[in-house]
Amino acid sequence: NVIIEPPALGRWLLAAVTLVSFVALQLVLLIPIMMYAVVSRNAVTEFEAQLAIGRFLTSETGILLTVLAAASSGIATVGLAFSWPRLWNLLSRGPRFDVSDWLAWRSTERLPLRLIPFITLPFLFGVALVISQMVGETQVDAQLMLFSTPALRIVSTIVVALVAPVAEEVVFRGALYHA
């Protein structure tokens, strides 16, 4: 059973495009948010601008816009990765590949896929327990602020639990690792 891989150039292009999309789009979306913070506070000096940005980013609106920027870049990156096979197939004359070929998402050969959650979840909880016993409880104010209001709880939960992990899997394990 021979698996034909997409060309190395195409895999590296996909890796570069998804990584740039994932990181750069977040920055591009955050720049207007930062500018709004500076302008809305009538900041003149660099110190006033830094204070204005800091205050804005710790406000509910600032946190919400930052989370939405991260969600937008994640959704755009996933969309780009899933549309890549169609784009490549339009531009190339070689063999046709689907998303699973480009991102190397294939069924496991040695372990049934349905067993993976039953193995990884207890392992992760065990590692978390050991680390929390070694380090102790920690609270990070920025992380707590993500869930400080009902609206932020809903948006942050969706982004943290769904959008970010899928986007990271597409970029890192799918595109970069496969390239």
Side-chain angles (χ1 to χ4, degrees):
N1 191 12
V2 177
I3 297 174
I4 299 173
E5 296 284 335
L9 173 65
R11 291 193 316 257
W12 277 105
L13 280 173
L14 175 61
V17 165
T18 56
L19 183 62
V20 167
S21 168
F22 189 59
V23 174
L25 192 55
Q26 287 183 56
L27 295 175
V28 166
L29 292 172
L30 285 175
I31 289 172
I33 294 170
M34 304 290 188
M35 291 174 61
Y36 170 77
V38 170
V39 171
S40 68
R41 304 272 184 188
N42 295 323
V44 178
T45 66
E46 184 179 338
F47 179 72
E48 289 174 338
Q50 289 174 350
L51 282 177
I53 290 171
R55 277 192 219 114
F56 182 74
L57 289 178
T58 57
S59 71
E60 180 182 355
T61 304
I63 294 169
L64 183 62
L65 289 175
T66 303
V67 170
L68 290 175
S72 299
S73 75
I75 291 168
T77 300
V78 170
L80 178 65
F82 277 79
S83 63
W84 183 262
R86 181 173 287 132
L87 177 65
W88 185 267
N89 289 339
L90 283 173
L91 298 175
S92 80
R93 296 175 193 201
R96 302 294 181 220
F97 300 102
D98 62 12
V99 172
S100 65
D101 295 324
W102 283 104
L103 299 177
W105 286 349
R106 297 184 182 91
S107 295
T108 57
E109 293 178 12
R110 295 185 181 96
L111 182 68
L113 208 52
R114 66 183 176 280
L115 292 180
I116 291 175
F118 297 108
I119 294 169
T120 56
L121 287 177
F123 175 74
L124 291 175
F125 282 118
V127 168
L129 181 64
V130 169
I131 290 173
S132 66
Q133 293 298 318
M134 289 172 41
V135 177
E137 253 187 68
T138 61
Q139 292 186 357
V140 179
D141 291 338
Q143 290 176 348
L144 293 175
M145 289 183 343
L146 283 174
F147 303 98
S148 60
T149 67
L152 284 173
R153 278 187 207 117
I154 292 168
V155 173
S156 296
T157 300
I158 291 169
V159 172
V160 169
L162 297 174
V163 176
V166 171
E168 288 172 9
E169 284 295 312
V170 165
V171 173
F172 296 104
R173 185 174 307 189
L176 286 172
Y177 184 72
H178 189 55

